[in-house]
Amino acid sequence: WNHAGTPLTFVGSVLLLGGLLCTLVLKILTLLQVVGHDAMGQIEYRSVALIAVLVGLILKMVAAGVKPSVVASAGPYKALQPVMQGGGIALWMASILAGGNPIFQSFLLCLAAVCLVSGEIINRIQFYSAYKRVGL
């Protein structure tokens, strides 16, 4: 808990998942043609979400480089977490390219959300398993 990587990881996670989930909710609202929700402002919202995801990804990469002096073994999931997070980012980028087909784009966004949330769960397992209690 007591090193620079902890707040960077948590803030990066919030931005990464928040940007992706904002994009997913906007896409679902558009597909369902919710009353009062039109295309106006969608580009601005998606631009902000893109910036949030990219900043979150950069913060998480910076946090990965900032390690405490003593870290417990990350266990069998050590290699799985970056694969899940990288796959989620790749799927999110693919959804941007699949803009012509909104149903396929929504499917890719859902897969990206599953990958990123799974990567975050693995990251939390690693984080809390590395915690060594001192004292009572």
Side-chain angles (χ1 to χ4, degrees):
W1 284 95
N2 195 15
H3 65 89
T6 302
L8 289 175
T9 299
F10 282 101
V11 171
S13 296
V14 167
L15 291 172
L16 189 65
L17 293 174
L20 175 81
L21 294 177
C22 175
T23 304
L24 180 60
V25 167
L26 287 173
K27 182 51 67 181
I28 290 171
L29 290 175
T30 302
L31 284 174
L32 297 177
Q33 299 176 349
V34 173
V35 175
H37 180 79
D38 54 5
M40 195 166 97
Q42 289 266 344
I43 294 172
E44 291 83 4
Y45 290 137
R46 287 190 195 141
S47 299
V48 169
L50 175 64
I51 291 168
V53 168
L54 293 176
V55 169
L57 181 64
I58 290 168
L59 285 176
K60 288 183 76 67
M61 287 191 294
V62 167
V66 179
K67 302 270 186 206
S69 59
V70 178
V71 176
S73 172
Y77 304 111
K78 184 176 184 177
L80 186 59
Q81 189 264 338
V83 169
M84 294 300 286
Q85 299 247 296
I89 294 294
L91 286 167
W92 189 71
M93 292 298 185
S95 76
I96 292 172
L97 299 175
N101 187 345
I103 294 174
F104 184 61
Q105 188 178 29
S106 298
F107 177 71
L108 288 174
L109 283 170
C110 285
L111 286 178
V114 167
C115 286
L116 287 173
V117 169
S118 298
E120 287 300 318
I121 290 170
I122 292 168
N123 193 7
R124 294 300 163 255
I125 290 169
Q126 291 174 348
F127 178 79
Y128 290 114
S129 67
Y131 177 69
K132 292 187 178 185
R133 187 176 181 126
V134 178
L136 298 175

